[in-house]
Amino acid sequence: MSPTDPDARAAELVAAMTLDEKIQLVTGFLGMPVQEGAEVGGEGLFGLTDEMTPPPGAVGSDGFVPGIPRLGIPALQLAGAGVGVTSLVPREGGESVSFPSSMSQTSTWNPPLIREFGRRIGHEARAQGINVMLGAACNLTIEPRSGRVFEYHGEDPILSGTITREELLGTQDEGVVASVKHYAANFQETGRFVVNSVVSERALREGELLAFEVALADDGEVPAPGAVMTSYNKLNGVYASENPYLLSQVLKGDWGFRGWVMSDWGAAHSTVESALAGLDQEFPHAHWYGAALKAAVESGEVPHERLDDMNHRILRTLAIVGVLDDTRPAPAKETAAGLETAQRIAEEGTVLLQNDGVLPIAPGFAGSIAVIGSHADVAVPSGGGSAAVRPVGGNPVPAEEGADLPQYWLPSSPLEALRAALPQAEVRFDGGGEAVAAADLAARSDLAIVVASQLTMEHFDVPDLHLPDGQDALVSAVAATGTPTIVVLETGGVVLTPWSSEVSAVLAAWYPGHRGGEALAAILTGAVNPSGKTPATFPVSEADLPHPEVFPMPPLPGREGPAQLTLVNILTEQQGAYFDAEYDEELLLGYKWFEAHGTDVAFPFGHGLSYTTFEYGDATAVPRPDGGLAVTVPVSNRGERRGREIVQVYAELPAEAAAPRRLVGWAKLELEPGETGEAVIGIPAKHLSTWSVEAQRWVLASGTARLDVAASSRDVRVRLEAELGA
């Protein structure tokens, strides 16, 4: 038996564990002292109170599993991830860099950069005593009004899965287990504890589940992501945490996943059913596992072999990632390096949606600029909920009295960064609270920049896709002055832009992270050439969406009107409140829906402008040994600035596939002025295949596929054909 063999190491430990120790390792607790009146969720944090504090030994994070010292099994300290290491309740040393949102990360279309981001997360986690990170989220943005869109990676499964995977692998490069969530079909926050997402099998396998499949793929070169977190919702009538189709058939069977499955906090609903379906660990209060699981094992309802498998999966993962026998001291924080990475992600993730030539602002610009709105004098926004990071430098915006939701801001001032970048300009600020005053400042300026924001968070979907708090009217009022107007969108996801024809330029900065102000100034002044591309479609109207409204939650039993459920009352008041969310768009997710219906969009998927121009040459496609294709296309920078181009390939499969046109691959090039480079896009056979419900496997259709080499889903530069299945 080799001590370096993770399976042998896990088997040895499991054989030495007592029944109580085995139960202990699969039963998780809150890892933080919960204070009465904590903001999120009501009735204390997530509905939990001081009475449910965890055992001693927790560092003060989201989750905690006591270790087994006699066997050298360390305690598990779990914290949220996605945009940084979270500290929902303050703990010593818990301040972290808050990175750009997942939408910003995905807009980079840059896997190596996101791998670096994952490493920053892993390093910071180790510095804080965390050895399991609860992220990233791989759900598709099927519902653009979801409060968690800022945590998700767009509407395309291949793009989402690829970017998510790099974050997870980067975290594990640092010896910290990475968990992907929320498996699966967690599309909206409204009623998330009781909603039943209804999705056909083929639509699941080619959509949401394909994103997870890509993220979790084991290529044999590095350890695959080590853990999966289940979602709160039901899927086709069965809760995710006790869903044998999701956990045993697909995840552990079809995909061969060898890590462990944990519940989201309070997402488990049973003991025997969950254990037999494939749930390996329950959080956060031993309601269904713990003593209840021990009794089920002793009675024979849950076989001892299944409990051993739960423990084996956890221990194998800890061994292969390097947590199990880690004797390294905690590293020092690397805040400066984290901030540098955060700024590069924000720069590459900012999307120039439109530009009539007003951008970039010349470095020697000596006129006057009005910066308006969104606390841009001191901060940039970030998303809220369990992904919210306690930022280094604190929250620079005092909480608004009477605000409905907690608000999260990061200490990075676009105003001051712009002043530093344009020392000869007069840059003035207006808070944007009164449109008349803002318009007056704009009228007295040579250029106006409206920074429009949208605060989103876990638990709450936004009511619609309009900018909140009258900001659409603010933009129109500023633009009506005749001063060239630039709009910067600091939002969780896509929004409506009814004023786009009135303004000169629009940038999607998303939630740009801890150095968002500096990144924005670099983009606006041309110090950085924008290269981001949209990971989701900006619609013209909500009426154009597959679902014009978020699926509503019915009233709770015994109550009038809709209500949000907390983890406490879900245990007692869930019966009778279930409702269906039927996603009958089937395969037509995101841009595929708009294309299939011939619907105009404001800004298409994959869209993003540059300060230079790119010319595509003739493309070629050759077969790969796995049945896929390799597409090669020369790309030339015809402008006067260095720039990056994201070359995308979309495939129209043979008719027998009965599938919508889809993204199948991309490559990102950086070119100097006048330089020509070659984009080589490797397309695996699976990306060209469809899921056969009858055969229960991926099928590559035979025939001619049309390949569109494009600058966006709607900007095709080269079209060619290739034979599949030959």
Side-chain angles (χ1 to χ4, degrees):
M1 180 177 65
S2 169
T4 61
D5 180 347
D7 283 298
R9 183 88 169 90
E12 179 183 48
L13 288 170
V14 171
M17 295 169 73
T18 66
L19 175 59
D20 285 338
E21 288 169 339
K22 293 175 184 178
I23 295 296
Q24 176 179 312
L25 190 58
V26 302
T27 305
F29 298 88
L30 275 177
M32 66 188 95
V34 180
Q35 304 297 321
E36 284 286 356
E39 291 288 340
V40 185
E43 298 183 35
L45 190 68
F46 295 116
L48 302 171
T49 67
D50 284 331
E51 298 176 0
M52 305 184 80
T53 52
V59 299
S61 59
D62 297 47
F64 172 70
V65 179
I68 305 172
R70 76 176 188 88
L71 296 176
I73 299 173
L76 302 186
Q77 312 279 1
L78 303 91
V83 297
V85 180
T86 63
S87 178
L88 294 179
V89 173
R91 66 174 181 269
E92 185 177 354
E95 297 79 17
S96 302
V97 173
S98 185
F99 290 83
S101 69
S102 297
M103 289 291 280
S104 175
Q105 296 166 30
T106 312
S107 295
T108 70
W109 297 58
N110 187 341
L113 179 57
I114 304 308
R115 184 67 164 264
E116 178 183 327
F117 158 64
R119 292 189 182 110
R120 296 290 182 212
I121 294 289
H123 183 94
E124 179 66 27
R126 288 192 60 241
Q128 296 190 30
I130 304 299
N131 53 22
V132 180
M133 288 299 288
L134 305 172
C138 201
N139 305 100
L140 298 183
T141 55
I142 303 295
E143 174 47 76
R145 289 155 295 211
S146 168
R148 301 192 85 165
V149 162
F150 77 93
E151 297 183 57
Y152 297 168
H153 295 82
E155 65 192 25
D156 183 83
I158 294 172
L159 177 61
S160 174
T162 300
I163 297 298
T164 300
R165 174 180 174 77
E166 292 305 314
E167 177 186 340
L168 299 170
L169 294 182
T171 298
Q172 293 194 168
D173 287 344
E174 294 295 316
V176 175
V177 176
S179 169
V180 65
K181 60 186 182 183
H182 311 87
Y183 186 71
N186 185 174
F187 299 136
Q188 66 178 55
E189 290 299 283
T190 300
R192 66 177 180 170
F193 297 112
V194 290
V195 65
N196 175 36
S197 297
V198 181
V199 191
S200 73
E201 181 179 349
R202 183 179 173 191
L204 270 175
R205 295 302 294 253
E206 295 185 26
E208 172 90 343
L209 294 189
L210 178 56
F212 281 91
E213 185 174 3
V214 171
L216 290 167
D218 188 347
D219 60 10
E221 296 182 6
V222 295
V228 171
M229 178 192 288
T230 60
S231 55
Y232 287 115
N233 55 281
K234 288 184 173 183
L235 175 62
N236 295 329
V238 183
Y239 272 111
S241 293
E242 57 188 42
N243 194 313
Y245 173 77
L246 278 179
L247 305 185
S248 290
Q249 181 177 332
V250 175
L251 178 63
K252 296 179 177 179
D254 294 347
W255 300 348
F257 177 67
R258 303 178 70 185
W260 88 86
V261 178
M262 68 179 73
S263 73
D264 203 339
W265 275 219
H269 291 264
S270 62
T271 301
V272 175
E273 292 87 346
S274 294
L276 297 182
L279 183 70
D280 301 309
Q281 195 175 55
E282 184 221 358
F283 282 94
H285 43 68
H287 185 85
W288 297 108
Y289 280 12
L293 179 59
K294 180 180 179 182
V297 172
E298 290 178 326
S299 71
E301 293 177 279
V302 174
H304 283 271
E305 293 80 8
R306 173 66 187 113
L307 180 61
D308 286 351
D309 177 61
M310 297 178 187
N311 281 268
H312 185 100
R313 288 174 172 276
I314 295 169
L315 293 168
R316 177 189 186 276
T317 302
L318 298 182
I320 200 169
V321 174
V323 173
L324 188 58
D325 299 306
D326 189 5
T327 59
R328 298 173 297 171
K333 286 173 169 278
E334 295 182 345
T335 299
L339 290 171
E340 190 271 336
T341 299
Q343 181 167 340
R344 286 197 290 121
I345 293 171
E347 290 170 351
E348 288 198 38
T350 296
V351 183
L352 181 60
L353 296 172
Q354 75 178 50
N355 183 24
D356 68 0
V358 68
L359 294 177
I361 305 169
F365 182 81
S368 57
I369 301 174
V371 176
I372 298 165
S374 298
H375 301 291
D377 55 331
V378 293
V380 295
S382 66
S386 62
V389 171
R390 195 168 301 281
V392 172
N395 185 338
V397 178
E400 295 180 15
E401 187 174 349
D404 293 333
L405 301 174
Q407 299 180 8
Y408 301 85
W409 299 86
L410 305 175
S412 178
S413 168
L415 176 73
E416 295 304 326
L418 201 57
R419 284 173 172 166
L422 299 171
Q424 299 178 57
E426 180 185 10
V427 186
R428 298 171 291 183
F429 179 72
D430 181 272
E434 298 292 337
V436 172
D440 177 67
L441 177 61
R444 293 182 286 108
S445 303
D446 298 310
L447 193 64
I449 301 172
V450 179
V451 183
S453 61
Q454 171 204 55
L455 298 178
T456 61
M457 67 174 293
E458 180 183 3
H459 301 288
F460 303 95
D461 297 325
V462 297
D464 55 56
L465 291 181
H466 282 282
L467 291 171
D469 303 321
Q471 291 176 97
D472 285 332
L474 173 66
V475 171
S476 291
V478 170
T481 65
T483 299
T485 299
I486 300 160
V487 177
V488 177
L489 298 171
E490 295 179 333
T491 61
V494 302
V495 293
L496 301 181
T497 55
W499 33 258
S500 60
S501 63
E502 305 166 25
V503 303
S504 295
V506 183
L507 294 110
W510 317 107
Y511 294 151
H514 231 122
R515 294 290 291 271
E518 291 80 358
L520 180 59
I523 293 284
L524 289 170
T525 61
V528 170
N529 194 347
S531 61
K533 302 269 189 174
T534 53
T537 304
F538 282 71
V540 172
S541 166
E542 286 177 279
D544 297 331
L545 297 172
H547 308 285
E549 297 179 348
V550 174
F551 290 103
M553 185 174 76
L556 290 174
R559 298 185 184 181
E560 295 183 1
Q564 283 288 332
L565 296 178
T566 66
L567 293 186
V568 165
N569 65 35
I570 187 61
L571 300 176
T572 57
E573 298 180 349
Q574 61 190 24
Q575 300 301 322
Y578 300 119
F579 66 102
D580 290 342
E582 297 190 26
Y583 295 95
D584 50 10
E585 59 265 48
E586 291 289 326
L587 304 177
L588 302 178
L589 305 179
Y591 60 93
K592 300 166 190 172
W593 170 267
F594 298 102
E595 290 182 7
H597 290 82
T599 305
D600 289 337
V601 300
F603 303 106
F605 174 84
H607 167 75
L609 304 177
S610 171
Y611 296 150
T612 190
T613 57
F614 298 99
E615 180 180 281
Y616 291 37
D618 293 334
T620 60
V622 297
R624 295 188 354 160
D626 69 346
L629 297 170
V631 174
T632 303
V633 58
V635 179
S636 302
N637 182 349
R638 297 305 187 195
E640 298 179 354
R641 293 174 177 268
R642 181 177 62 209
R644 299 183 180 96
E645 175 66 331
I646 298 165
V647 181
Q648 303 156 48
V649 178
Y650 297 83
E652 183 79 50
L653 301 180
E656 70 177 71
R661 177 175 173 268
R662 62 174 70 172
L663 177 74
V664 291
W666 71 91
K668 187 166 187 174
L669 295 178
E670 183 169 11
L671 300 171
E672 297 290 338
E675 182 183 4
T676 297
E678 194 171 70
V680 180
I681 301 100
I683 304 170
K686 186 176 291 183
H687 295 183
L688 298 164
S689 300
T690 56
W691 180 256
S692 170
V693 175
E694 295 75 17
Q696 287 292 292
R697 61 182 177 85
W698 290 100
V699 174
L700 181 65
S702 297
T704 302
R706 190 192 77 201
L707 303 177
D708 292 339
V709 181
S712 81
S713 62
R714 297 200 175 188
D715 183 5
V716 178
R717 301 297 182 88
V718 184
R719 181 163 285 170
L720 69 159
E721 294 182 344
E723 293 301 313
L724 301 181

